């Protein structure tokens, strides 16, 4: 459904389709991996928690975005919050 990425530190996130999609993220250049088995859709994106109870939210916004390193243009911005840490970057809706 959506794939996002960011730099400094490097991270990626993917969220599937459906009413309660799975969210997978690799954080801090791949040093950490988190999974939300069933995320809930909100007006701004998705929220949920890991099996360990860590709060996770993904906010997506349809607006031009540039990742700052590769000069690739993306149709959306992405903000991933894991616990108290926020990761900002870009992404695209995979159904478009």
């Amino acid at each position: 459904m959506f794939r996002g990425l960011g730099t400094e530190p490097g991270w990626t996130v993917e969220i599937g389709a459906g009413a309660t999609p799975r969210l997978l993220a690799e954080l801090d250049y791949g040093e950490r991996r988190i999974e939300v088995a069933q995320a809930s859709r909100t007006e701004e994106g998705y929220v949920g928690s890991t099996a360990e109870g860590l709060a996770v939210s993904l906010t997506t916004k349809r607006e031009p975005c540039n990742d700052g390193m590769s000069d690739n243009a993306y149709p959306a911005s992405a903000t991933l919050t894991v616990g108290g840490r926020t990761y900002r970057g870009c992404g695209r809706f995979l159904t478009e």
Side-chain angles (χ1 to χ4, degrees):
M1 180 70 162
F2 184 84
R3 182 176 298 140
L5 59 94
T7 58
E8 305 304 326
W11 62 274
T12 62
V13 64
E14 289 189 9
I15 188 142
T20 56
R22 184 171 76 154
L23 182 150
L24 296 172
E26 288 192 11
L27 310 172
D28 306 322
Y29 301 106
E31 291 181 15
R32 292 176 57 202
R33 182 179 168 103
I34 62 159
E35 177 180 353
V36 174
Q38 295 182 323
S40 299
R41 181 86 169 115
T42 68
E43 287 184 23
E44 298 176 336
Y46 302 88
V47 297
S49 59
T50 65
E52 297 79 24
L54 187 63
V56 178
S57 69
L58 173 64
T59 302
T60 60
K61 187 173 182 182
R62 292 179 190 274
E63 64 184 1
C65 187
N66 185 296
D67 69 9
M69 289 190 75
S70 68
D71 288 328
N72 288 335
Y74 297 88
S77 64
T79 303
L80 177 66
T81 303
V82 179
R85 187 155 185 197
T86 300
Y87 300 84
R88 298 184 194 287
C90 302
R92 69 179 73 250
F93 295 90
L94 302 178
T95 55
E96 298 175 359

